Amino acid sequence: MDLECSRLLPALCAVLVDPRQPVADDTCLEKLLDWFKTVTEGESSLLLLQEHPCLVELLSHVLKLQDLSPGVLSFSLRVAGIFAAQENCFQYLQVGSLLFSQPGGAPGLRLLSAPPFFLSSPAPCPGAVDTIFSLQGDSSLFVASAASQLLVHILALSMRGGAKEQPCLQGDDWPTCAQKIMGHVEESLCSTVTPKVTQALNILTTTFGRCQSPWTEALWVRLSASVACLLERDPIPAAHSLVDLLLCVARSPVFGSSNGSLWEMVAQALSCLGPAHVGPLALGILKLEHCPQALRTQAFQVLLQPLACVLKATVQAPGPLGLLDGMADDAMMVDALLASKSSCAGLLCRTLAHLEELQPLPQRPSPWPQAPLLGAAVTVLRLCDGSATPVSSVGGHLCATLAGCVRVQRAALDFLGMLSQGTSPQELVTQALAVLLECLKSPGSSPTVLKKAFQATLRWLLSSPKTSSCSDLGPHIPQFLRELFLVLQKRLCSPCWEVRDSALEFLTQLSRHWGGEADFRCALLASEVPELAWQLLQDPESYVRASAVTATGQLSSWGLHDPTSPQHAVARQSLLRELLRILSADSEGFPRRAVMQVFTEWLRDGHADVTRDTEQFVATVLQVASRDLDWEVRVQGLELALVFLGQTLGPPHTHCPYAVALPEAAPARPLTEALRALCHVGLFDFAFRALFDCDRPVAQKSCDLLLFLRDKIASYNSLREASPNTDSVEAAPWRWRAHEQTQPQEDQEPEAVLAMLRSLDLEGLQSTLAESSDHVEKSPQSLLQDMLATGGFLQGDEADCY
Amino acid sequence: MPEIRVTPLGAGQDVGRSCILVSIAGKNVMLDCGMHMGFNDDRRFPDFSYITQNGRLTDFLDCVIISHFHLDHCGALPYFSEMVGYDGPIYMTHPTQAICPILLEDYRKIAVDKKGEANFFTSQMIKDCMKKVVAVHLHQTVQVDDELEIKAYYAGHVLGAAMFQIKVGSESVVYTGDYNMTPDRHLGAAWIDKCRPNLLITESTYATTIRDSKRCRERDFLKKVHETVERGGKVLIPVFALGRAQELCILLETFWERMNLKVPIYFSTGLTEKANHYYKLFIPWTNQKIRKTFVQRNMFEFKHIKAFDRAFADNPGPMVVFATPGMLHAGQSLQIFRKWAGNEKNMVIMPGYCVQGTVGHKILSGQRKLEMEGRQVLEVKMQVEYMSFSAHADAKGIMQLVGQAEPESVLLVHGEAKKMEFLKQKIEQELRVSCYMPANGETVTLPTSLSIPVGISLGLLKQEMAQGLLPEAKKPRLLHGTLIMKDSNFRLVSSEQALKELGLAEHQLRFTCRVHLHDTRKEQETALRVYSHLKSILKDHCVQHLPDGSVTVESILIQAAAPSEDPGTKVLLVSWTYQDEELGSFLTSLLKKGLPQALS
């Protein structure tokens, strides 16, 4: 603890124990606690207490005071906990009496989670464990959860203290504390009050999750019968917690894969849990690394059941392959599908999400029923858009229930997108694309559904070349794209900005990957999409303008403007001008930032409009960017400058130690000439000004850029040590700092710039900038000062908020 | 037993980071998703781990509702939807939808710029989050799904602020968000209809305060600004881009106009334009005066307030500058403050709350020597003033709203525990409504009465209509019918229809009663006397004397008999069907009083 803080601490402790003195809000106490944690990590807690008697006084005072605020009490208990984590301090404070003398002092529970010697301390609190039992049922989630965690901690500690490798199953030789906790858990498991069962299951879940010692096996052997009994009750209590426990035990390395009784219990749970809970259990089982094959098969069947029902209800008998053909429907599952709209939607959403999660995993079941799943996803979407044909009464019911159900539609689209990663028969792929197109076309589709539909379509399109030849999208692509662009045209004119924006994002992504494909180019240019994207540069919504900038920039990179239309030819030429206009005139940051990104990409890729006169382009852009009020635009400006620098002086050095050291490539042009070019485009002016920018990221980026430049120049061995007028060189950076230099200097000489570069302590500046700019305000002194000052301030005023 | 459960994850006995979970009839709704500006780590967001353990968030939560654009109510939204993984619908009003991303973006820029936080939500995340928003109109009933519906009411406070009613079947909860019961310079007062929710969740920032009139604070503010510029000083007013800034701008603009002042007033560049745009766009959300005068004079087009340029800060002479951010923790406002702090002629007016650690907080708590970066010490000589312009309902306003909505119970959030305690007692005593004030993480469970929907047959309604009385919305009327349960549905039908549907035969049921009369005359004469007596009293009923000597009134039959043991006493046998039960009872009690003497 530094001197200044030591000096302030007694006064602060005095404020805290004085009920008449207002304490700043709880955040201050939390931050103070953080500080104590840091301090005690660095030095001895006992020494700290001895050097600062005010802390001990604070802790002993809070016990005596009646009208202390709960905030300060809770804070004091937690401070006591932090100190008591060291054994000598624990004895020093006799912390046990501090905790349990406070009814409702639940936050202090945490203080017990650290010291292992708590249980072996000479005078353990007799009612401690009972108090914690009762706090498990506290109305506060935080307290209840802390109590449960603490019980696990105490159990683990006492078992570790017992030091028996193979404790006896009856628990006769278990430490008293552990016996007490186990007795409580057993009793709770048999309780008819569900919250009690939940508490017991949560304790067990945390125990098996956290402790992987052999004694946990004995624990499970002892308790598994009580857990199994829960499965025989109707309804099964605390099903959610039960699933968590079963999965946690199954995952524990303590139990070998040959643990037959566990797997039997899991299998029983799979067959008797309700649809809401059985899904997560099945998914959890399928994610396990080791588990009997029969159980995996059962779990997968459970997971597939709802979709199998859907397929059965909608596919004509001699139709394509169904899921789980030949198996009877699970009556509970069918009931859930038919019970109500929300139960049906909930079940389908969960199933789709679980399968989506499973699909990319290496341990997913094999063979993976890709085709029927794709069929099911398509069918669910058809049910939602009302185009499915039911073949049974269940089907009819599903049609009525799911029509227009956005929630299921979104989940199905996500799943459908994920299925693009597998190989599917052509016929089904065509169906998938058709249903996606339907969804995109449908006037009733909500913006969130459209966004998901665009994302899924993109995934299918981009994955298509990877599919094997038999299921290649090949010949269908051009036709599909033609229809797709017709839809896209419509969506680009949507009254919802969300839809226009999603459509533009889709266009950008698609052209980024397919800009060079003839089919794509042909279909795009035959549509009005490029023209519409161009028009959206004027959109009233800034998000859309920004996306339009990115999209048109991407299209332009591929030369995707209709060469036959004179209008478009003009557009191509004037896009640069239009983007410059946006950069200098748009009132919002997003479009300006997007323009800078497009320009940087154009410069990097050698876009035709840029290469025509690169220096002029860079000069203009930097000049506009340097004046921008948005620091992110200025940072982008520096990024563009960095690309230009790389092109002028050669790419950055690779520092890979394993790379074969190649001789340095010959620089593109002589150094002086290159530097002159940099001066000409105003790069130095921009960079030096940015170095003293009031926004830290700009200064940081500029610092990086100048360091790169300095290193690069140093590699030119032929560099002359030019030394112009030293006075003016040293003064120059400070002129930028003081913002005196409002006009860019065009007549800078490379030598002067170099000298200036050398005169700057860039490394020093870099480390200063690495610190966040509020490090002074965040310091402990600042916190203590603020808390002390609050005492005098808050008294007269009302606490305020926004 | 159906119940409503409420768990605040934030705003439970505190101010900041509002986030309240409500479970109503099996539906889970999150009310607000705010951040705490006082923390720099994950603690700034509500602790969502308590809901993520219930399985997938999107399956668990049916929707998120945002009451208004302040960051302590919406600041954690991109984190929640894009980083924690909620993928369902988010509801807010149109102005909130428009303004919310601007403030989120502003906050992100400061967090990344000033604090160098890398693990923060990005612009793209803010945009993706805003795409999940469904904007609602005031008083529009929005179906979230088949069972859950929500409706927004005007809340004042800031542009677009709304209270929300959440309803599933006959159960409902109203969440007020932040609201103001008195109109201010630019916004109107909160209003809600008598929706009688099961629970009203209300903010309680000023739970113990009766606030002085805003006019006084406004006068004070204008006086201070005026005095400072008169003596040649500069006034800095740090504000957040939207909200209070516009209110103060209107105030100064009007004053400058009235006093014909020439001292320049500036506003941070870019923001005025944007703010004005939104105020013009959402003019129906402002107060009546602004709406009325809008056509002749747009209150948000300021004559005296100009865009600020960095270079202006060094100009000599007086000026007033509105600059962002509002807590002097970064950016333009801090830059200007550093330039002007050393001159005692200048003044800084903080119109709102500042979190610990910010320069705003330090100067408000009276610190005059501030350590700045690089071990520099900034001496603050300029005057520092604090004026709360935050627009919340005070104790009176809160009581007024509770009275308006007539809830069964009230739950207090967004306030300090001690003040809540006071208001809780007041509500319970004065309004006789039970009141709760859970801390964060604490669950309040309210039982609600079970509601069973009953269908009414058209026939029964028609029958009722045939009686000639037209239904009136405000006058409840009794309707008799037979309740039948068939295929787990309840229906109220006419008794004839019930008999038909259930295949039952009708049994006539008559009530009988004996009335003893002291009368020595013969039975026939007694009957005649009864007839005359009833005829004279029941003028509107059909009273008949039948040839067999009995008397009828509607379906009621009265016969006189003489018990053999006592010739001086006659027994009247009165019987009636259940339809005429009221009349039957009336006649019995009438006859029990005896027959008038005049006739005897």
Side-chain angles (χ1 to χ4, degrees), chain A residues 649-711:
Chain A
L649 296 173
H653 296 293
T654 48
H655 292 294
C656 175
Y658 306 108
V660 182
L662 290 170
E664 282 273 317
R669 44 179 156 173
L671 179 64
T672 333
E673 199 186 309
L675 287 178
R676 191 148 287 136
L678 297 179
C679 287
H680 174 68
V681 300
L683 188 140
F684 290 112
D685 187 63
F686 179 45
F688 284 130
R689 197 189 294 265
L691 197 61
F692 302 108
D693 197 291
C694 63
D695 287 306
R696 204 172 55 98
V698 183
Q700 252 180 322
K701 183 91 188 169
S702 170
C703 201
D704 294 346
L705 179 134
L706 291 171
L707 274 167
F708 164 67
L709 183 65
R710 205 184 60 189
D711 291 352

Side-chain angles (χ1 to χ4, degrees), chain A residues 462-512:
Chain A
L462 297 187
S463 68
S464 63
K466 284 187 220 144
T467 52
S468 65
S469 57
C470 64
S471 62
D472 195 356
L473 279 170
H476 301 279
I477 287 182
Q479 177 55 31
F480 179 75
L481 286 177
R482 270 193 293 278
E483 288 184 50
L484 180 68
F485 285 131
L486 283 178
V487 179
L488 203 60
Q489 265 168 225
K490 198 176 118 195
R491 293 304 179 189
L492 286 171
C493 304
S494 163
C496 289
W497 73 265
E498 295 93 333
V499 176
R500 297 196 300 275
D501 192 76
S502 299
L504 282 168
E505 282 179 337
F506 171 75
L507 176 64
T508 307
Q509 291 294 332
L510 196 57
S511 34
R512 177 163 294 147

Side-chain angles (χ1 to χ4, degrees), chain A residues 339-345 397-407, chain B residues 25 27 62 91 141-150 167-170:
Chain A
S340 72
K341 195 165 178 167
S342 59
S343 133
C344 175
H397 194 90
L398 285 174
C399 269
T401 311
L402 291 177
C405 184
V406 175
R407 233 181 109 194
Chain B
K27 301 282 168 183
D62 291 279
Y91 293 90
T141 302
V142 178
Q143 289 295 144
V144 176
D145 58 33
D146 276 6
E147 292 140 358
L148 174 64
E149 61 180 46
I150 59 170
K167 202 170 169 196
V168 183
S170 60

Side-chain angles (χ1 to χ4, degrees), chain B residues 6 25 57 107 118 221 224 328 348 366 430 487 505 509 573:
Chain B
V6 183
L57 262 183
Y107 188 79
F221 169 77
K224 278 180 179 141
L328 286 178
V348 58
E430 290 180 24
D487 307 327
L509 195 69
L573 294 164

Side-chain angles (χ1 to χ4, degrees), chain A residues 156-438:
Chain A
L157 284 177
S158 64
M159 288 308 287
R160 204 167 65 192
K164 293 226 168 163
E165 276 305 301
Q166 283 298 332
C168 144
L169 297 186
Q170 278 71 43
D172 297 340
D173 59 346
W174 288 24
T176 328
C177 205
Q179 282 194 32
K180 187 160 184 167
I181 295 175
M182 279 347 298
H184 171 74
V185 169
E186 265 178 320
E187 194 188 307
S188 304
L189 282 177
C190 302
S191 166
T192 49
V193 185
T194 306
K196 283 210 146 200
V197 180
T198 312
Q199 286 163 16
L201 291 171
N202 287 348
I203 291 182
L204 291 178
T205 307
T206 319
T207 308
F208 291 113
R210 220 186 266 167
C211 316
Q212 269 125 35
S213 312
W215 64 266
T216 51
E217 196 174 359
L219 182 70
W220 177 247
V221 172
R222 177 170 160 178
L223 291 173
S224 56
S226 311
V227 176
C229 280
L230 294 176
L231 289 171
E232 274 148 29
R233 291 203 219 163
D234 187 23
I236 296 169
H240 184 84
S241 303
L242 184 58
V243 168
D244 283 351
L245 173 65
L246 291 176
L247 288 175
C248 195
V249 175
R251 275 192 290 259
S252 170
V254 177
F255 305 93
S257 53
S258 56
N259 192 329
S261 67
L262 171 68
W263 302 130
E264 268 171 36
M265 199 191 299
V266 175
Q268 193 196 346
L270 275 178
S271 59
C272 64
L273 277 170
H277 300 106
V278 79
L281 178 64
L283 177 67
I285 292 166
L286 291 168
K287 279 169 148 184
L288 290 174
E289 280 179 30
H290 304 288
C291 141
Q293 187 53 42
L295 190 65
R296 283 175 64 82
T297 311
Q298 188 191 353
F300 197 42
Q301 280 169 358
V302 164
L303 213 51
L304 294 176
Q305 264 289 343
L307 292 185
C309 279
V310 170
L311 275 183
K312 241 181 236 173
T314 46
V315 176
Q316 300 286 351
L321 268 182
L323 282 165
L324 310 177
D325 282 337
M327 278 184 65
D329 286 340
D330 180 336
M332 267 206 286
M333 211 62 96
V334 179
D335 279 351
L337 279 176
L338 303 182
S340 72
K341 195 165 178 167
S342 59
S343 133
C344 175
L347 179 60
L348 284 178
C349 286
R350 276 194 304 274
T351 305
L352 292 164
H354 289 149
L355 288 166
E356 189 191 334
E357 202 178 323
L358 198 59
Q359 210 260 359
L361 299 181
Q363 67 266 41
R364 73 175 191 195
S366 175
W368 179 252
Q370 171 80 9
L373 283 177
L374 186 55
V378 169
T379 308
V380 171
L381 283 170
R382 291 247 157 89
L383 285 166
C384 292
D385 71 13
S387 63
T389 342
V391 292
S392 66
S393 65
V394 176
H397 194 90
L398 285 174
C399 269
T401 311
L402 291 177
C405 184
V406 175
R407 233 181 109 194
V408 174
Q409 229 173 344
R410 282 199 307 248
L413 283 167
D414 277 342
F415 180 52
L416 186 64
M418 181 55 89
L419 286 174
S420 68
Q421 304 310 305
T423 312
S424 312
Q426 182 56 48
E427 191 196 334
L428 276 173
V429 174
T430 315
Q431 276 185 30
L433 287 174
V435 82
L436 283 170
L437 205 57
E438 262 326 295

Side-chain angles (χ1 to χ4, degrees), chain A residues 34 141 630 695 782 800, chain B residues 43 108-109 113 362 386 441:
Chain A
D34 292 349
L141 287 174
D630 184 344
D695 287 306
S782 157
D800 200 5
Chain B
R43 281 173 291 184
R108 182 196 68 82
K109 282 182 86 88
D113 166 9
K362 284 176 192 295
Y386 171 74

